[in-house]
Amino acid sequence: MPEMTLRSTSTEETARIGRVLGGLLAPRDVLLLTGDLGAGKTHLTQGIAAGLDVTEQVTSPTFNLELVYEGGRLVLYHFDLYRLEDEDQLEQIDFFGVAGSGGATVVEWGDRFAAVEQIATLGIELSFVSEDARELRLRALDERGDALLEALRVHLVLEKAHDYVAD
């Protein structure tokens, strides 16, 4: 499946990438975020929420497992599966029912469970390059993910081109 690597030099830039991505999401898209603590998963999710026109403050759902943000173009379901110990717990929190319900789903630490990756649209690995810089490796996990990556590539190129055009 196709991949794309992006470099972010600030939390604002990570959120901007997320905002573009959020604007492209469709019902039942599932984004799988991986990366060390502090790598920028929540900043990316804040941008995704902004791209979905969510106005609520987005925070990490570490202690809640799931946070729901309504009022945007799509409902945003934000999961953090770090504290789950086995796949059976996914059924207990109705993860698959929620992910298939018609909103957009962002899953932090979902790579711990093969069943989550099987339903994901796009995998995004965030890694440290330096104190401020991050690398985002985006990987399509199905045909929809492939289309999403291509649309993201086009939007980022057009956005960059716009930066060079004088008004």
Side-chain angles (χ1 to χ4, degrees), residues 41-160:
K41 295 180 295 291
T42 300
H43 289 293
L44 183 66
T45 303
Q46 289 169 340
I48 290 167
L52 288 168
D53 300 323
V54 170
T55 57
E56 291 178 67
Q57 176 68 30
V58 173
T59 60
S60 178
T62 300
F63 297 104
N64 300 345
L65 299 179
E66 175 194 9
L67 293 173
V68 179
Y69 300 97
E70 300 182 67
R73 182 174 58 80
L74 296 172
V75 175
L76 175 61
Y77 301 102
H78 185 192
F79 285 91
D80 185 325
L81 305 182
Y82 183 77
R83 294 178 38 228
L84 297 187
E85 295 179 18
D86 62 62
E87 256 180 43
D88 292 340
Q89 292 175 296
L90 295 170
E91 294 296 332
Q92 294 171 7
I93 63 171
D94 193 27
F95 173 80
F96 299 104
V98 170
S101 69
T105 304
V106 172
V107 186
E108 296 186 30
W109 302 99
D111 59 325
R112 300 178 65 220
F113 305 105
V116 174
E117 190 163 349
Q118 290 173 357
I119 67 159
T121 306
L122 199 63
I124 305 172
E125 180 184 352
L126 293 95
S127 57
F128 290 93
V129 174
S130 69
E131 186 176 327
D132 296 322
R134 304 293 186 267
E135 185 174 273
L136 289 77
R137 193 176 118 235
L138 296 90
R139 182 173 45 100
L141 298 173
D142 63 12
E143 286 184 26
R144 168 66 187 144
D146 189 18
L148 195 53
L149 266 188
E150 185 56 32
L152 178 62
R153 185 181 330 273
V154 167
H155 274 74
L156 291 174
V157 167
L158 291 174
E159 187 176 275
K160 191 67 162 175

